[in-house]
Amino acid sequence: MPASYAYLGPEGTFTEVALRTLPEAATRELIPYVSVQSALDAVRTGEAEAAFVPIENSVEGGITTTLDELVAGAPLMIYREVLLSITFALLVRPGTKISDIKTVSAHPAAQPQVRNWMKANLPDALWESAASNADAARLVQEGQYDAAFAGEFAAARYGLEALETEIHDAENAQTRFVLVGRPARPAAPTGADKTSVVIWQRDDHPGGLRDLLGEFATRGINMMLLQSRPTGAGIGNYCFCIDAEGHISDRRVAEALSGLKRICLQVRFLGSYPRADVRVDGVRPLFPGTSDEEFLAAADWVAHCQDGRF
């Protein structure tokens, strides 16, 4: 298997910055790809050992391109996550003044994070989406657009200047990135883990979503993300991307997934992996009755009843 990681490029993206925070990145060849889809396909075809892509931001929620790619196609699995604080710079060719800017570009996920700033400072500028923020900077370098919202660190890479820095509509904005590989045994639980799945309902009926979520609620499992995505089978047909606290080796999580498998048309396991937002000592206490020991004790009691040993 190639010792390489694919990532959403080109060089100079927030994705690259976040990827380089992983210790193992220093021992891998880091290869930029033009899109999330191409980076994940590199893993599916064996061109890369893993891919590193954005999956969620604190302003707009899930990155739909990534979610849709994980929902469809050959299965992949999440192994790690990284949180990166995000602030933008307005990158321009040297000599450009703010009054010269008629077009701006960035990744679509950046627009909600700078919308108010644009309204106040560039009310007449036309927004053009790019494959990534660094790609927007490259397009500015080539003269296709007047300015790009990207990381300030990308300016030198593309021969641009930061006309404005520290641009963000929401304080403490963060983006979550994930390291994705081919399916394998999940890493051992750390005590501060997250499990991701995609679920499809058997049919659309009153209380259907409640039934699905009840598999988590009745076992005291906190959900961290719930996002619907269209299946492509017609209006009103959706699957649900879910992140929940815990690891598949935890009995409460395993039972919840078993329950979903029984009642859902399809369940796709996307991995159990360490959380990036808390340490083990920062994880919320388990609800009463949801520890592995309590699940085992309950199972033993049922077995005793079946054997006539009350």
Side-chain angles (χ1 to χ4, degrees):
M1 185 180 295
S4 63
Y5 283 173
Y7 70 91
L8 176 61
E11 295 178 357
T13 58
F14 287 110
T15 306
E16 181 188 9
V17 171
L19 172 57
R20 291 186 182 278
T21 68
L22 294 178
E24 60 266 37
T27 65
R28 303 295 198 278
E29 181 185 6
L30 308 184
I31 305 175
Y33 281 76
V34 297
S35 66
V36 168
Q37 181 181 25
S38 60
L40 294 178
D41 281 346
V43 180
R44 289 184 169 112
T45 61
E47 294 175 23
E49 176 185 354
F52 194 77
V53 293
I55 195 170
E56 180 186 7
N57 72 65
S58 59
V59 176
E60 280 289 284
I63 306 295
T64 56
T65 301
T66 302
L67 293 175
D68 290 346
E69 283 299 315
L70 293 176
V71 166
L76 294 170
M77 203 166 92
I78 299 170
Y79 288 91
R80 295 282 299 276
E81 69 173 11
V82 171
L83 294 178
L84 184 70
S85 296
I86 302 293
T87 185
F88 293 91
L90 186 67
L91 305 187
V92 299
R93 292 182 294 277
T96 301
K97 302 186 293 292
I98 198 161
S99 59
D100 299 328
I101 298 174
K102 307 303 179 187
T103 55
V104 296
S105 184
H107 187 275
Q111 189 174 22
Q113 302 180 62
V114 300
R115 184 183 293 125
N116 293 335
W117 189 94
M118 275 194 67
K119 182 178 180 181
N121 297 274
L122 295 168
D124 299 321
L126 178 65
W127 175 277
E128 298 284 354
S129 292
S132 69
N133 300 313
D135 194 50
R138 179 186 64 80
L139 294 171
V140 171
Q141 179 191 44
E142 294 177 355
Q144 295 192 41
Y145 303 120
D146 298 324
F149 288 106
E152 186 177 1
F153 47 80
R157 171 67 180 79
Y158 294 99
L160 304 176
E161 294 179 347
L163 192 60
E164 299 281 348
T165 60
E166 297 296 319
I167 299 172
H168 51 265
D169 289 351
E171 294 287 343
N172 304 314
Q174 290 183 310
T175 294
R176 181 165 72 100
F177 301 84
V178 288
L179 184 69
V180 179
R182 286 182 289 281
R185 181 182 294 274
T190 67
D193 302 292
K194 179 183 293 184
T195 292
S196 298
V197 295
V198 186
I199 57 178
W200 286 259
Q201 292 178 280
R202 289 189 183 277
D203 56 54
D204 186 20
H205 63 273
L209 181 57
R210 180 203 61 192
D211 295 341
L212 302 181
L213 302 186
E215 297 293 336
F216 296 98
T218 57
R219 296 172 177 87
I221 300 171
N222 185 50
M223 291 179 55
M224 307 175 71
L225 179 141
L226 171 64
Q227 182 149 345
S228 61
R229 297 300 305 146
T231 64
I235 296 295
N237 287 280
Y238 291 89
C239 60
F240 299 93
C241 301
I242 294 174
D243 290 344
E245 289 181 346
H247 193 279
I248 193 172
S249 66
D250 299 334
R251 287 187 174 268
R252 67 189 187 282
V253 176
E255 285 203 7
L257 297 184
S258 295
L260 290 171
K261 184 64 176 176
R262 289 195 305 271
I263 66 175
C264 290
L265 177 67
Q266 182 182 352
V267 179
R268 174 170 285 197
F269 176 63
L270 295 181
S272 291
Y273 47 94
R275 289 175 58 179
D277 57 337
V278 297
R279 302 189 310 271
V280 173
D281 57 8
V283 175
R284 72 178 71 243
L286 295 177
F287 285 0
T290 62
S291 69
D292 278 6
E293 293 76 15
E294 288 164 315
F295 270 97
L296 284 170
D300 285 344
W301 177 81
V302 171
H304 289 170
C305 292
Q306 291 172 334
D307 291 340
R309 295 179 290 124
F310 291 80

